[in-house]
Amino acid sequence: MEFEKRKAATLASLASSDTDKSPKGTLDTPILPLINTLNNHPCYFTTSSCSGRISILSQPIHQTQPNKKSKGGSWLFVSHDPADPDSLISLLFPDSPTRPEPEPESELVLRFEPLIVAVECKDLASAQSLVSTARSAGFRESGITNANNKRVIVAIRCSIRLEVPLGTTESVMVSPEFVRYLVRVANEKMEANRIRTQGFLRALQNADVAEPESESESESEARGDEDDEHSDLSVLRVVPIVVSGEEAAEKLYLWGHSACSLASEKKVLVFGGFGGVGRHARRNEALVLDPYCGTLEVIGSVEPSPSPRLGHSCCLVGDCAFVIGGRGDPVNVLGDVWVLNRAKSEWRLAECSGSVFPPRHRHAAAAVGSKIYVFGGLDNDSISSSFHILDTVNLQWEELEVGGEQPCARHSHSMVAYGCKLFMFGGYDGDKALGDLYSFDVQTCQWKKEKTAGRGPHARFSHSMFVYKDYLGVIGGCPVRQHCQELALLDLRLQVWKHVTLDSVGKDLFVRSTANVIGDDLVLIGGGASCYAFGTKFSEPMKINLLPLMTSNENFMPSKNGDVHGTRRNDGVIGNKNDSFQHPQIENLQTLKEDLDLNFDSELPGMNGSQMIASHWVLQLERKYAKLGKDILKKFGWLDLERKVYSREDGKHICFPVTKKFCGVFHERQHHLFDASELDNDHLLKPFTGKGLLLNEISSLEALNILKECGATKLVDEVVEVKRAAKSPLKVMGEAVASLIKNRGLSEQLLEELPTRWERLGDIVVLPVTSFKDPVWDSIGAEVWPIIAKSLNTNRLARQGRVAPTGTRDSTLEILVGDNGWVDHRENGILYSFNATKCMFSWGNLSEKLRMGHLDCKDEVIVDLFAGIGYFVLPFLVRVLLIVSVLVSFQQVRVAGSLL
């Protein structure tokens, strides 16, 4: 009721004829529609506002307390509309200045200040909704400035400002021409402010903040009501977390930090990273974020505390958070362990014993019980594959001796715990991004490379991983996909990947961010990147509600009538650990034998199937069962990968080419009896209870029965289109080099240094610096380099070297096959001609180069401080009239100078 009373009083004062407390005394006319829209909303009313103004402020120079904020002063000029330059010039340069009384000398400042509106909100939820709408309309500095128990205040604002000193009241230090130029710039900002304000007004009128939801509607949305026939489970919405306080949100502008879920408190503990308030730097603050109230608490700020760092790990064991390793500066890699006692808000440096734990950063760590497992990482140029365990009870390190399919050395990977297993995905091995998934059983100390169905996530590093119920999630990382942000989910019961598109209001960069599950929400904090030429980008804290995932029925087995079956918990959500395939209920073994004859229709045009042998067969399935059928065929090696899948009857049916192996199993099951011991009687002879089989546990016999229940039909392949079995350049190169090494009696270990990728500069194939590092290669260079060039179908071959650590960043590219390094390289429609052995060419930022080349830069003056050989200068030449380039090497001056 207090909110309604304050709103009524405020609206009454606005309706009165009395002047308000502003210097002008009335509301600014340009924003009256916006003010009325906000005040007509049941959850908002405005407490102060300014539509934006151009002004000249006269403020005293001499202060009795220089450390205090300047007070006093007066406006010589104020306009809430575009300013007339002649009026300002006549004010600053009067023809006959008259001063009736001596006045203290004051500083004159010309300013442009954009729209700012203070809005009181009914509750925190409506405040967060308003801030989200304002930010999406361009008012990126909007936020909750006050969120106490009595009042919730939101400030709507942005950063398109201008502030230029003009001199003093005694002496104006600028010319009339410069004043005219400043007024033109200020008027342009005023117009941009007007357009942004109109966009915000339209967003308010069209946004979801129009009316508050009823309680029952909110609860239904939170449940992901399965009765909603129009719900789209392929898209999850990314919602910004609005953090109260002007500087609080900036504290979370981080990357390379760590985060732990405080599940009992429904909060997230954040430590360290790069970024923060003010000048971006490595941080050592411990922060606790409440993603639902938007509050941020700083804890453990009393010494001693860890040094600032990034690339460390943090695991929660009981009430203590263990921070391990990280990098303090470019040469200082850390191996210490700090413990934060959450109950006491105290830090202590742990004195660990046992095995030596080498310093590292960009490693991965996960806790199982009282033990923390740490794998991989980076120490300067050394990439680790060591696996250590920290016993948090006795603070003792142990380097594990493990077995199984062991992963290679890597950094910037991710690892999470799920029961008594650890799952590790991706990373960077020094040459390429990785896309492999490993599991580690902490009881048997065995690694296993997981074999999964469905399209797996693309290879990546610096990503985040999490576990939600029985799903393993992977999000973000490098390389960044341009088209959409995607969440990859592995169903740990069925070992099947699926992908969900993230519907975000902005282009979020989830690189070196953190992902933590709180209840049914995924909380994403930080992430971003730094570019020397284009500055720093940080992502705002976000959250994604994961509950809609549990309504998905894609993994349930169809019954005979085509309906989807699954177990339903008491809370109405379909899907849990016990969900499985729905087998038909079987009365007796004879019925089972009849079913397992499969009754597949082996259709042959005009002939009986037993009288004709076809060389190619397909398995036909209805489209709705195609994914399940394909996964089964792939699991058992029954899918013929050399032929193409095709559809029939306008896409109603999908035909999968099958191998001779499948035909053999099919024939054997049709014409031979089998022993009852082959069957899993617990699953097939009893009524279905929901505790069924997982995809990776079923036998071939059961798989055939499942395909039969899907209505599969075995047909002759009418469209025999065998894929070309051409060898890839990589395979051709590997076979040719292996033959040479064998003939020369050299070690086969040399083959591990063959590159898996390469670049092209014009007609030169450039091998990466990480390949062919052993000196033996140079001794057989006369034989091996022509073989490599022929395998890669090129007449000129080169090997990249490290960029020289000089002020000119010289190229160290070495020509292996060919006469010289001069090359014509075309990129984004521009032909570069240069000597690749003397001039460094960067393949990076390709999309940014393309974007910059399409900017409308007519009549603009552009300064490129790092022009290089013209990555951005040349695209700009299409649009600009003048380019001033500061060039950083003699070769670059020669190349770019000739173009200008």
Side-chain angles (χ1 to χ4, degrees):
M1 293 299 293
E2 294 297 324
F3 172 83
E4 284 75 12
K5 290 179 181 179
R6 290 193 297 271
K7 178 172 182 176
T10 301
L11 296 184
S13 65
L14 290 176
S16 71
S17 58
D18 298 336
T19 59
D20 57 34
K21 296 180 181 179
S22 67
K24 183 182 176 182
T26 58
L27 292 175
D28 297 338
T29 303
I31 57 168
L32 283 178
L34 176 62
I35 298 298
N36 291 334
T37 299
L38 288 167
N39 288 334
N40 287 334
H41 193 285
C43 294
Y44 308 123
F45 70 90
T46 58
T47 59
S48 63
S49 63
C50 176
S51 64
R53 64 191 174 204
I54 300 172
S55 65
I56 296 179
L57 179 66
S58 173
Q59 54 189 15
I61 295 178
H62 303 292
Q63 301 284 326
T64 57
Q65 294 177 298
N67 293 330
K68 296 290 185 180
K69 186 177 179 180
S70 175
K71 296 182 178 180
S74 59
W75 276 300
L76 299 184
F77 174 87
V78 178
S79 174
H80 297 279
D81 297 306
D84 178 15
D86 293 330
S87 299
L88 270 72
I89 291 173
S90 62
L91 177 66
L92 294 171
F93 305 97
D95 294 334
S96 55
T98 58
R99 298 188 183 277
E101 296 181 5
E103 295 180 357
E105 185 177 12
S106 298
E107 182 182 23
L108 299 178
V109 181
L110 185 144
R111 289 180 172 178
F112 168 76
E113 297 163 283
L115 172 136
I116 182 169
V117 181
V119 183
E120 180 169 343
C121 306
K122 187 174 183 178
D123 50 39
L124 191 60
S126 58
Q128 291 175 329
S129 178
L130 180 62
V131 170
S132 178
T133 303
R135 289 180 176 179
S136 65
F139 291 94
R140 302 294 295 175
E141 291 192 355
S142 301
I144 301 174
T145 60
N146 182 67
N148 57 35
N149 294 330
K150 294 183 178 180
R151 304 183 70 183
V152 180
I153 306 296
V154 165
I156 309 298
R157 55 197 174 192
C158 64
S159 60
I160 49 174
R161 299 182 178 89
L162 176 70
E163 184 168 338
V164 182
L166 302 177
T168 68
T169 51
E170 299 295 330
S171 176
V172 176
M173 303 301 295
V174 297
S175 66
E177 290 77 14
F178 187 64
V179 172
R180 192 178 298 277
Y181 166 76
L182 290 178
V183 172
R184 178 171 67 85
V185 173
N187 285 341
E188 290 174 354
K189 291 182 178 291
M190 178 69 82
E191 176 64 13
N193 178 71
R194 185 192 68 80
I195 294 173
R196 196 169 295 192
T197 303
Q198 291 298 317
F200 179 41
L201 175 60
R202 288 192 297 271
L204 277 176
Q205 294 169 340
N206 299 326
D208 293 335
V209 298
E211 289 294 340
E213 291 181 315
S214 67
E215 183 177 358
S216 60
E217 290 171 336
S218 301
E219 291 173 351
S220 175
E221 182 180 357
R223 286 197 310 269
D225 193 351
E226 66 269 14
D227 294 331
D228 183 0
E229 296 178 358
H230 304 287
S231 60
D232 183 5
L233 297 179
S234 64
V235 178
L236 292 177
R237 187 180 180 192
V238 181
V239 180
I241 298 174
V242 180
V243 181
S244 58
E246 295 188 23
E247 291 189 350
E250 290 187 41
K251 289 181 180 290
L252 295 177
Y253 287 173
L254 300 165
W255 74 67
H257 55 287
S258 62
C260 298
S261 299
L262 304 176
S264 61
E265 304 177 51
K266 292 189 176 181
K267 297 179 181 179
V268 178
L269 170 65
V270 181
F271 174 76
F274 177 85
V277 180
R279 184 177 181 272
H280 298 147
R282 293 170 181 83
R283 301 292 176 180
N284 65 340
E285 284 184 313
L287 310 168
V288 174
L289 171 68
D290 187 328
Y292 302 103
C293 296
T295 58
L296 190 68
E297 174 191 2
V298 180
I299 63 172
S301 57
V302 180
E303 296 293 338
S305 61
S307 59
R309 64 189 67 198
L310 77 162
H312 54 282
S313 63
C314 183
C315 294
L316 195 68
V317 179
D319 290 331
C320 293
F322 289 78
V323 173
I324 300 174
R327 192 177 71 170
D329 57 56
V331 296
N332 184 23
V333 180
L334 306 170
D336 53 0
V337 178
W338 284 84
V339 184
L340 173 64
N341 188 308
R342 178 75 180 98
K344 298 179 180 179
S345 296
E346 292 179 355
W347 285 104
R348 66 181 175 90
L349 177 63
E351 299 292 338
C352 299
S353 58
S355 303
V356 176
F357 179 74
R360 66 189 67 197
H361 67 109
R362 294 194 175 212
H363 53 279
V368 178
S370 61
K371 296 181 179 180
I372 298 175
Y373 295 79
V374 181
F375 181 86
L378 188 63
D379 183 4
N380 294 322
D381 291 331
S382 176
I383 303 176
S384 174
S385 62
S386 66
F387 198 12
H388 287 74
I389 180 173
L390 175 64
D391 190 326
T392 61
V393 176
N394 56 25
L395 295 179
Q396 191 170 40
W397 281 110
E398 177 188 357
E399 185 169 5
L400 292 177
E401 295 182 3
V402 299
E405 306 168 274
Q406 299 184 34
C408 65
R410 64 190 66 202
H411 67 81
S412 306
H413 50 293
S414 58
M415 187 164 67
V416 295
Y418 177 74
C420 63
K421 285 188 176 182
L422 303 173
F423 284 88
M424 184 175 73
F425 176 79
Y428 192 78
D429 66 357
D431 182 46
K432 61 184 180 300
L434 303 172
D436 46 10
L437 176 68
Y438 285 86
S439 65
F440 179 79
D441 192 315
V442 300
Q443 297 175 342
T444 63
C445 285
Q446 294 288 311
W447 281 106
K448 177 185 176 183
K449 188 172 184 179
E450 293 291 334
K451 295 179 175 60
T452 57
R455 175 174 64 89
H458 68 270
R460 66 185 77 191
F461 59 93
S462 296
H463 54 282
S464 301
M465 190 158 67
F466 63 92
V467 171
Y468 172 68
K469 300 187 185 299
D470 295 306
Y471 285 100
L472 180 75
V474 177
I475 186 172
C478 286
V480 178
R481 294 299 177 98
Q482 298 181 15
H483 302 295
C484 67
Q485 190 68 259
E486 194 176 58
L487 175 63
L489 292 160
L490 175 66
D491 189 322
L492 292 169
R493 305 157 303 169
L494 303 180
Q495 294 288 291
V496 177
W497 286 101
K498 69 177 181 179
H499 299 263
V500 181
T501 300
L502 301 180
D503 179 17
S504 176
V505 295
K507 295 182 178 179
D508 305 300
L509 192 61
F510 298 130
V511 177
R512 303 193 74 179
S513 60
T514 56
N516 299 91
V517 174
I518 303 294
D520 291 312
D521 290 315
L522 179 65
V523 178
L524 299 163
I525 296 177
S530 179
C531 177
Y532 194 70
F534 301 105
T536 303
K537 157 74 177 176
F538 291 101
S539 293
E540 298 177 353
M542 303 280 179
K543 63 182 178 181
I544 304 170
N545 185 265
L546 301 174
L547 192 58
L549 295 174
M550 304 308 296
T551 65
S552 175
N553 56 12
E554 293 178 358
N555 292 324
F556 291 98
M557 184 62 205
S559 66
K560 293 183 179 180
N561 60 8
D563 294 333
V564 174
H565 294 267
T567 58
R568 184 180 297 271
R569 299 199 306 260
N570 292 333
D571 58 3
V573 178
I574 296 177
N576 56 34
K577 288 185 179 180
N578 297 325
D579 294 340
S580 62
F581 299 119
Q582 175 72 30
H583 289 283
Q585 298 181 10
I586 300 170
E587 299 297 334
N588 52 55
L589 189 58
Q590 181 61 36
T591 306
L592 175 63
K593 289 172 63 177
E594 292 172 359
D595 280 346
L596 287 175
D597 285 343
L598 296 180
N599 296 325
F600 284 138
D601 297 325
S602 301
E603 296 180 2
L604 292 174
M607 298 190 70
N608 184 285
S610 62
Q611 296 175 338
M612 176 179 178
I613 300 176
S615 59
H616 296 96
W617 297 86
V618 294
L619 196 68
Q620 177 179 284
L621 286 163
E622 289 185 57
R623 177 176 289 276
K624 62 182 177 180
Y625 302 141
K627 184 179 184 305
L628 176 62
K630 182 180 179 181
D631 290 341
I632 291 175
L633 293 175
K634 288 179 67 176
K635 170 180 168 49
F636 292 98
W638 295 341
L639 183 65
D640 188 346
L641 299 177
E642 294 188 352
R643 287 183 286 147
K644 293 185 178 181
V645 178
Y646 60 89
S647 62
R648 297 180 67 188
E649 301 177 26
D650 295 327
K652 182 180 178 181
H653 292 93
I654 306 298
C655 294
F656 294 99
V658 291
T659 61
K660 292 181 180 179
K661 179 182 177 182
F662 173 82
C663 295
V665 174
F666 172 77
H667 179 78
E668 179 182 354
R669 294 307 181 197
Q670 277 193 319
H671 297 284
H672 296 279
L673 296 177
F674 50 86
D675 185 71
S677 61
E678 294 183 36
L679 302 177
D680 186 344
N681 295 330
D682 286 340
H683 290 286
L684 295 178
L685 300 181
K686 295 180 180 180
F688 180 71
T689 62
K691 297 183 179 180
L693 299 173
L694 302 182
L695 180 61
N696 61 346
E697 295 177 354
I698 63 175
S699 67
S700 60
L701 186 64
E702 293 163 333
L704 288 173
N705 193 49
I706 292 170
L707 291 173
K708 182 259 181 185
E709 287 299 314
C710 292
T713 304
K714 180 168 169 261
L715 307 172
V716 171
D717 191 350
E718 300 174 358
V719 188
V720 180
E721 189 173 352
V722 181
K723 298 178 182 177
R724 292 185 59 189
K727 295 180 181 178
S728 68
L730 179 61
K731 189 171 184 179
V732 173
M733 175 176 61
E735 292 177 353
V737 176
S739 177
L740 174 64
I741 287 177
K742 183 177 181 180
N743 293 335
R744 295 294 299 268
L746 300 175
S747 172
E748 292 184 357
Q749 291 184 348
L750 289 171
L751 295 175
E752 296 178 1
E753 296 187 5
L754 294 184
T756 57
R757 60 181 180 86
W758 44 86
E759 305 284 354
R760 283 189 180 268
L761 275 179
D763 64 334
I764 300 179
V765 170
V766 182
L767 304 174
V769 67
T770 55
S771 63
F772 302 105
K773 294 188 293 185
D774 195 298
V776 173
W777 293 111
D778 293 327
S779 67
I780 59 172
E783 296 177 85
V784 73
W785 303 137
I787 290 176
I788 301 296
K790 184 177 180 180
S791 301
L792 303 182
N793 192 28
T794 182
N795 294 321
R796 291 200 289 173
L797 183 71
R799 180 170 53 189
Q800 187 63 268
R802 302 282 183 188
V803 176
T806 61
T808 55
R809 292 177 57 80
D810 300 320
S811 169
T812 56
L813 183 137
E814 175 189 5
I815 297 295
L816 302 175
V817 177
D819 296 332
N820 59 67
W822 277 98
V823 65
D824 293 333
H825 179 72
R826 183 175 296 277
E827 183 180 271
N828 285 342
I830 296 173
L831 184 65
Y832 298 84
S833 181
F834 57 94
N835 189 335
T837 64
K838 297 182 180 296
C839 192
M840 190 272 291
F841 186 90
S842 173
W843 286 276
N845 292 324
L846 182 61
S847 59
E848 181 66 6
K849 295 173 190 175
L850 185 62
R851 186 185 72 85
M852 297 287 277
H854 286 82
L855 294 179
D856 186 0
C857 301
K858 186 178 179 181
D859 298 328
E860 296 288 346
V861 177
I862 296 175
V863 179
D864 188 347
L865 299 180
F866 301 92
I869 66 168
Y871 307 114
F872 297 98
V873 171
L874 297 181
F876 272 136
L877 277 173
V878 178
R879 301 267 181 183
V880 303
L881 299 179
L882 173 64
I883 296 180
V884 179
S885 298
V886 179
L887 305 171
V888 295
S889 73
F890 174 77
Q891 291 84 5
Q892 293 167 344
V893 169
R894 182 166 64 87
V895 173
S898 64
L899 293 168
L900 295 173

